[in-house]
Amino acid sequence: MPGQTSSLRLPSFLHGTFRSVQQKTRREGLRCSEQHRKDGTFPEPQHLLEVPPGEVVLAHEVVDIQRERPAWRLYMVSNLMGHLSETSSGEGLNPFPMRNDYETHVRETAWGSLFFATTYLHPMSAERMAQRLQAVLRFWEPLQGARYLFKKLGATHTLEELMAAACGWALDAWSPEKEASVQVRLEKAAERMARASRDDCIEAILRQMSRAISSERDLKHRQVLADPTFQREGLATLDPVSFERVSGACTAELLALLFDWDDKMGVHQAFTFSRWPQPGCPRHD
C-alpha cells in the first residue's frame, strides 16, 4: 500500500498522560469537525511518532490504571470521535454521518484500522466488520511490532493475541477452523463476511447463539431461546435494518436480540396468564 511503512506510527495526540491525551484528542476532534464541515474532508494528524518495537499500546480503557504516566493510548480515539459532532461554539451536530466518514478515513492508517477492529462501535454488521478486518490485515506487518494491553490487567498481547481477544466472536462465527493461524482465520472471516448472503449470516449467527446464551445468566426462557428452530424463526421475522444489526454475529448484538425475545415471551406469558381467573375468582368467558 502506498505510504505504508514497516514500523508502527501513531499520532502524537495519542501519546502522553491521560489528561494530556484527553485534551489533545478533544482539540483534534474539533479540528476534524471544522474541516469536515467546510469541505467534507479530514485533516491528517499534524505529527506522527514511531512506536519503538515491543513498546506497549493501551487498546482498552479498563487497563489504563496509571493515568499519570505517559503512554500510547490508542483507545482514546473514542474521545476524539466524541467531539466530532461539536463545533468550536459548542453547537451540536448529528454525529453519525461524520463518524462514519471519519472511520472510513482513518481505516487507511495502521492505528485507525486497529482501533476500529478492536473497539465495539456500531454498526457491527457483517459488511462493516469485513471492512474493519480487511483494514487491519493490510497493516499486519507494522502492527506486529508493538505489544498491547486489552481488558486484562498485566497481560500484554501480541497482535495475534489481541485480535483473538477482541474479535474471537468473529473467528468462531465466520472462521471456525481453529488449526489455522489467527491471521489466516481473520482473512477467511473477512472474505466470508464481505460476500455473505442473508442465509450465510444466519448460519454464522446460529454458530454463535449457544455461546451468547451460555455467557448470560439473566435470560429467563433459556430452553426456548436455545432451540435452533426458534432462533431461525425469530431471525426470519427481522426487518432488513434489524437483521443488518446482528448480521455480523457479534455476541453483544446477539445478546441484545436474545433479551428482546426473552422480554417478549415474558409479556406474552403474562398476558396469557392474566386472561385466566385467579384462585377464588369467577371466570368470565
Side-chain angles (χ1 to χ4, degrees):
M1 179 175 181
Q4 184 172 335
T5 65
S6 59
S7 60
L8 177 60
R9 296 192 297 169
L10 266 61
S12 58
F13 58 72
L14 294 177
H15 187 266
T17 64
F18 173 81
R19 185 171 183 179
S20 169
V21 173
Q22 186 179 47
Q23 293 170 342
K24 289 188 289 186
T25 50
R26 179 182 183 277
R27 288 196 297 268
E28 184 68 10
L30 293 174
R31 187 171 79 99
C32 289
S33 175
E34 182 177 1
Q35 179 163 316
H36 191 271
R37 284 185 291 109
K38 286 180 179 178
D39 60 16
T41 67
F42 292 104
E44 297 301 325
Q46 293 175 321
H47 302 288
L48 290 172
L49 303 175
E50 187 169 322
V51 179
E55 197 149 324
V56 173
V57 174
L58 305 184
H60 198 287
E61 64 179 333
V62 74
V63 296
D64 194 359
I65 60 173
Q66 295 179 306
R67 298 193 166 190
E68 72 286 353
R69 292 183 58 183
W72 302 100
R73 291 179 156 87
L74 176 66
Y75 76 90
M76 287 293 283
V77 174
S78 60
N79 190 56
L80 183 160
M81 294 183 67
H83 293 287
L84 286 176
S85 56
E86 293 182 17
T87 65
S88 55
S89 63
E91 178 187 358
L93 305 169
N94 180 0
F96 298 108
M98 195 179 300
R99 288 181 184 180
N100 283 332
D101 289 348
Y102 184 74
E103 175 178 345
T104 300
H105 176 70
V106 300
R107 273 205 317 260
E108 297 303 314
T109 67
W111 58 272
S113 70
L114 188 63
F115 171 78
F116 283 103
T118 58
T119 305
Y120 176 69
L121 286 173
H122 292 295
M124 301 291 286
S125 65
E127 179 182 10
R128 183 62 64 91
M129 283 307 302
Q131 295 168 350
R132 290 171 177 173
L133 295 182
Q134 288 165 346
V136 165
L137 289 164
R138 287 197 298 271
F139 293 101
W140 196 262
E141 183 181 352
L143 288 169
Q144 280 186 307
R147 292 295 178 265
Y148 303 92
L149 279 175
F150 182 77
K151 290 190 177 181
K152 193 172 182 181
L153 290 173
T156 56
H157 298 302
T158 63
L159 177 61
E160 285 212 349
E161 291 167 344
L162 170 65
M163 293 304 296
C167 301
W169 58 269
L171 297 177
D172 291 338
W174 293 94
S175 185
E177 306 88 353
K178 295 185 182 296
E179 66 278 2
S181 69
V182 170
Q183 184 180 6
V184 169
R185 292 178 68 195
L186 286 170
E187 290 170 351
K188 290 182 178 179
E191 179 185 354
R192 291 166 182 169
M193 283 177 159
R195 55 180 172 80
S197 65
R198 184 174 176 120
D199 286 342
D200 293 330
C201 292
I202 288 175
E203 294 307 315
I205 290 168
L206 293 177
R207 280 193 287 272
Q208 277 299 95
M209 275 294 195
S210 60
R211 294 184 179 89
I213 292 171
S214 64
S215 70
E216 183 52 64
R217 299 179 180 178
D218 293 334
L219 293 167
K220 299 180 180 64
H221 306 89
R222 303 176 69 85
Q223 188 172 354
V224 177
L225 293 170
D227 181 358
T229 301
F230 172 85
Q231 294 169 6
R232 284 186 184 276
E233 291 174 352
L235 291 169
T237 67
L238 296 180
D239 60 71
V241 173
S242 299
F243 186 82
E244 183 183 15
R245 186 182 182 97
V246 298
S247 63
C250 174
T251 307
E253 298 295 344
L254 297 187
L255 280 172
L257 178 62
L258 286 166
F259 272 109
D260 182 55
W261 287 346
D262 200 41
D263 289 343
K264 287 177 179 176
M265 280 190 281
V267 169
H268 176 73
Q269 287 183 358
F271 173 74
T272 302
F273 181 75
S274 69
R275 299 186 63 188
W276 288 87
Q278 299 302 305
C281 298
R283 177 174 175 177
H284 302 285
D285 292 324

